[in-house]
Amino acid sequence: MNKNNTITAFENYINKFFTVLIDYSPKLISAILILFIGLYAIRLINRMVRKIMVKRDLDPTLSKFLADILLWTMRILLFVTFISKLGVETSSFVAILGAAGLAVGLSLQGSLSNFAGGMLIILFKPFRVGHTIEAQGVIGTVCEIQIFVTKLVNANNQTIFIPNGILSNDTIINYSMEGNRRADLTFSLSYDTNIKTAKDIVMNVLKNNPQVLQTPAPAVITKNLTDSSIQLAIRPWAKLEDFFQMSSDVLEDCKEAFENAGIVIQPYVRELSVKMD
């Protein structure tokens, strides 16, 4: 008798299982179809959006960022549609997501500040990849603009990461935006020097240097008359890629020309300081 009751209970359980499965199968099948079709559509839309951005010559960093946001937005919407089709109540699920988002936002305020800074940098473009900038006391070439940090490489081949939140709210000097760069070089000369002769010597050096641009025209001016020397400022222009080599060559050639003309360069270290950045 007990054996018959067990068999009967098992048969009832199987019947109920198949009844529920048959009743629920349309929802399950439609939800799976929506999932697979949605994933395929998302991939197709994402490819189309990326191609459109490339054709319109949008900034690569901005294109990748916008495409990623669109991708994850569509995935979240697809997931909500999928569970809704299965019969799961979505209102409570959305409320849980909202509460979790608020908690994460409060705990990651610094990261959100960097995220917002990255958005501002990408949208307003104070610099781009390949530009040489000065910010937060460092100078380097921009290698990558990420969502939270900007990656620089300096002249010593050191990699520097600057948080975008700080970077977007501070002063940025962009050495690459204008195309050409001017050097500010200073020589301290003896008071026995004829200033006009010294200027003519420097101008001759600048005219004979192929890396010195003649437009904008280079300038040589009397910067200051100190207690012990005449300070002569030399201001040549060069292309960005020639700037440091040009500055070095002009210093060497001017020193040699002054020595050949018998002009004494004052040996004081402070007066001989050269600003090349």
Side-chain angles (χ1 to χ4, degrees):
M1 187 70 179
N2 291 333
K3 184 177 180 180
N4 292 333
N5 290 336
T6 302
I7 293 174
T8 302
F10 180 74
E11 289 177 349
N12 291 333
Y13 176 78
I14 294 297
N15 291 332
K16 288 181 181 180
F17 173 77
F18 279 106
T19 300
V20 172
L21 182 63
I22 292 172
D23 293 339
Y24 195 71
S25 58
K27 291 183 179 181
L28 181 61
I29 293 172
S30 61
I32 293 174
L33 287 174
I34 289 173
L35 179 64
F36 281 100
I37 294 173
L39 290 174
Y40 177 77
I42 288 173
R43 185 182 303 175
L44 185 64
I45 293 171
N46 191 254
R47 287 179 181 175
M48 291 175 59
V49 169
R50 289 179 184 269
K51 288 181 179 178
I52 292 172
M53 290 180 178
V54 170
K55 287 182 179 179
R56 299 203 172 183
D57 198 25
L58 289 180
D59 182 81
T61 306
L62 178 61
S63 300
K64 183 179 183 303
F65 176 70
L66 294 177
D68 288 344
I69 286 182
L70 178 62
L71 176 65
W72 283 103
T73 301
M74 290 189 295
R75 284 176 175 175
I76 292 172
L77 291 176
L78 176 62
F79 178 71
V80 173
T81 304
F82 173 73
I83 63 172
S84 176
K85 196 65 180 177
L86 289 175
V88 178
E89 183 62 39
T90 57
S91 58
S92 57
F93 179 76
V94 172
I96 293 172
L97 280 180
L102 179 61
V104 171
L106 291 174
S107 62
L108 298 176
Q109 291 183 13
S111 297
L112 292 176
S113 174
N114 292 330
F115 175 81
M119 287 286 294
L120 292 174
I121 292 171
I122 291 171
L123 291 174
F124 294 103
K125 299 180 180 67
F127 54 83
R128 299 191 179 193
V129 173
H131 283 187
T132 299
I133 66 170
E134 179 178 353
Q136 297 297 306
V138 297
I139 300 175
T141 300
V142 179
C143 293
E144 187 178 358
I145 305 172
Q146 301 176 3
I147 298 303
F148 296 105
V149 296
T150 293
K151 178 181 176 182
L152 308 180
V153 174
N154 65 10
N156 296 329
N157 202 34
Q158 296 171 323
T159 302
I160 303 167
F161 293 94
I162 303 179
N164 287 333
I166 298 174
L167 190 59
S168 63
N169 290 314
D170 204 355
T171 301
I172 301 171
I173 301 175
N174 190 327
Y175 294 111
S176 302
M177 187 170 287
E178 298 301 325
N180 299 328
R181 186 174 172 184
R182 191 189 77 180
D184 291 315
L185 313 176
T186 303
F187 273 98
S188 295
L189 307 178
S190 167
Y191 264 106
D192 295 332
T193 304
N194 184 296
I195 296 178
K196 186 178 183 306
T197 301
K199 287 183 176 180
D200 291 340
I201 290 172
V202 173
M203 287 303 299
N204 186 56
V205 169
L206 298 180
K207 287 179 181 178
N208 291 327
N209 189 318
Q211 293 179 328
V212 175
L213 300 177
Q214 300 305 313
T215 304
V220 182
I221 64 172
T222 303
K223 182 179 180 180
N224 196 11
L225 299 175
T226 69
D227 293 338
S228 58
S229 66
I230 301 169
Q231 288 189 340
L232 210 63
I234 307 170
R235 295 173 178 173
W237 292 80
K239 294 181 180 178
L240 294 172
E241 59 270 21
D242 299 331
F243 175 78
F244 290 103
Q245 186 61 49
M246 179 275 297
S247 300
S248 177
D249 290 345
V250 167
L251 285 174
E252 293 177 9
D253 294 342
C254 285
K255 178 183 181 298
E256 184 178 354
F258 285 148
E259 289 177 347
N260 291 337
I263 296 175
V264 177
I265 301 174
Q266 293 295 84
Y268 298 106
V269 175
R270 289 186 179 179
E271 293 182 0
L272 283 173
S273 62
V274 178
K275 182 180 180 182
M276 297 180 61
D277 291 329

